[in-house]
Amino acid sequence: MAVMILIFLLMVVGFCVALATSLLILYLGWRVGPRFRKDAVFCFLLIVFGVSFWVVVLSLLFDPMVGTGADFVLWLIYSALVGATPLAAFPGLFLYGSGRR
């Protein structure tokens, strides 16, 4: 029982660290401003494409893990990757997002 609680806590910590890191990077990308030009439509489309691509990649990684009964290290890595999902919006914000230009 104690091992399961420890594994769960490690997964939560991995998720929270990845989420906090990705949100910090998104904030920095937002503050830097657009590299090409400020365009809301391209920014939105690139964010939608990046996040949907990231979700597809995660689902392709997650499907085989469920069927094989993977060990806790793979679950820990997966929970950290799920926490890093907001990072998939970074290219859209960095290239075409809001900023000081």
Side-chain angles (χ1 to χ4, degrees), residues 14-90:
F15 174 80
C16 291
V17 167
L19 184 66
T21 304
S22 64
L23 290 177
L24 176 69
I25 291 173
L26 278 179
Y27 175 73
L28 293 175
W30 183 267
R31 297 285 294 170
V32 168
R35 285 293 167 208
F36 294 135
R37 64 178 196 262
K38 188 174 178 180
D39 192 351
V41 174
F42 280 143
C43 179
F44 173 75
L45 290 176
L46 204 55
I47 287 173
V48 168
F49 175 74
V51 171
S52 63
F53 181 73
W54 184 249
V55 168
V56 167
V57 167
L58 284 180
S59 67
L60 290 175
L61 290 175
F62 184 67
D63 254 356
M65 260 181 32
V66 172
T68 60
D71 57 348
F72 76 94
V73 174
L74 291 177
W75 284 101
L76 183 63
I77 292 170
Y78 184 76
S79 64
L81 289 175
V82 168
T85 300
L87 192 59
F90 180 74

